[in-house]
Amino acid sequence: MNEQDWKTIADIPPTFARTQGDAIAFSFEGRDTTFKEFDRHTNQVANALLAAGVEKGDRVCYLGKNSDHYFELFLGAAKMGAVTTPIGWRLAPPEVAYIVNDSRAPFFFVGPEFTGAAKKVLEDAPHVKTVVAMEGGVPEWQGFEAWRDDASAAPPDVVLRPSDIAIQLYTSGTTGRPKGAMLMHSNFIDTYRIMKD
C-alpha cells in the first residue's frame, strides 16, 4: 500500500513503517520512536482497547498536552475504530467533566499535569471504567506504557471505512454547552492530499 491507496488514517503507520521503518518518527523529551516502533505501538494501543471491551465508535477521552504518546493513542484508537476525544487542557474541571460525560467515554487518558483535575472529574463520571496515566506515576492508575505493552503488537482485526469517525472535538460553547464536532477518517486523508498537492 502507498499513500494513494490510503482509505483511513489507520493505513498511515504501516506505510511509513515499511518505507522508512528505522527513521525517527517522534523525539519527545529524550524518548525517540522509529516509524516501525510507532506502528507497533499503535497496534498495541488498538489491541489493548479491544481487550478492555472498547467497541468501534466508542469515545476515548484525553486530557493532556501534546506528546508522542498522544499520537500513539490517537492512531491506535483509530486502528480499532474508537474515536479520540481530546479535551482542552485549559478547561476547568466542570468543563472537562461535561465533555467526559457527554461523550460517554469508557476510557480516560490523563497527562501528568492534570492528575488533580482528573480526580475531581472522576467524582461524577459514571461512564469512565478505566483511567490511564500517560506518563505513569499515579499509584491507582495504570501507566500508559505498561498498559500498552501488555497487548499484542499484531494489526487489529477490525474493518474500517473512510466514513468512520476518527476524532470528536468540542466547540468553545460560547452560546451554550460545547458540542462535539466529528471528523471522519476521510477528512484527514483528503486534507493531507490537498496539502501535499
Side-chain angles (χ1 to χ4, degrees):
M1 175 179 289
N2 55 42
E3 296 176 25
Q4 289 72 34
D5 299 322
W6 289 349
K7 301 289 189 257
T8 71
I9 60 174
D11 298 326
I12 297 172
T15 299
F16 283 97
R18 189 182 68 253
T19 60
Q20 303 177 49
D22 294 327
I24 299 298
F26 294 95
S27 185
F28 179 79
E29 295 185 353
R31 190 166 55 213
D32 291 338
T33 306
T34 66
F35 283 103
K36 279 183 184 174
E37 290 169 332
F38 182 66
D39 185 41
R40 184 176 76 246
H41 290 168
T42 54
N43 285 343
Q44 290 174 303
V45 168
N47 287 315
L49 290 169
L50 287 166
V54 175
E55 298 181 357
K56 187 176 178 181
D58 282 349
R59 273 53 179 166
V60 293
C61 284
Y62 173 82
L63 177 63
K65 296 183 178 180
N66 284 341
S67 75
D68 52 344
H69 285 163
Y70 168 73
F71 289 99
E72 291 179 8
L73 171 61
F74 175 47
L75 271 295
K79 281 186 173 184
M80 57 75 55
V83 179
T84 301
T85 303
I87 301 172
W89 55 266
R90 290 185 175 89
L91 296 180
E95 296 169 305
V96 174
Y98 173 78
I99 293 172
V100 170
N101 287 320
D102 185 69
S103 67
R104 303 174 71 89
F107 258 77
F108 191 19
F109 294 84
V110 181
E113 305 92 342
F114 307 104
T115 301
K119 287 181 177 179
K120 290 180 183 176
V121 168
L122 291 168
E123 293 173 2
D124 187 26
H127 300 291
V128 175
K129 306 302 180 197
T130 305
V131 184
V132 175
M134 293 304 289
E135 297 295 336
V138 184
E140 60 268 45
W141 302 340
Q142 191 167 13
F144 178 78
E145 289 186 1
W147 170 81
R148 177 197 71 198
D149 292 346
D150 279 344
S152 167
D157 185 19
V158 177
V159 176
L160 300 173
R161 299 170 307 200
S163 59
D164 288 337
I165 304 301
I167 197 167
Q168 182 164 310
L169 302 166
Y170 275 77
T171 63
S172 63
T174 52
T175 58
R177 290 288 197 179
K179 297 174 180 63
M182 295 173 281
L183 296 176
M184 301 179 293
H185 283 256
S186 61
N187 295 131
F188 287 93
I189 299 299
D190 292 345
T191 300
Y192 170 80
R193 288 177 175 148
I194 290 167
M195 292 176 65
K196 191 173 182 193
D197 293 341

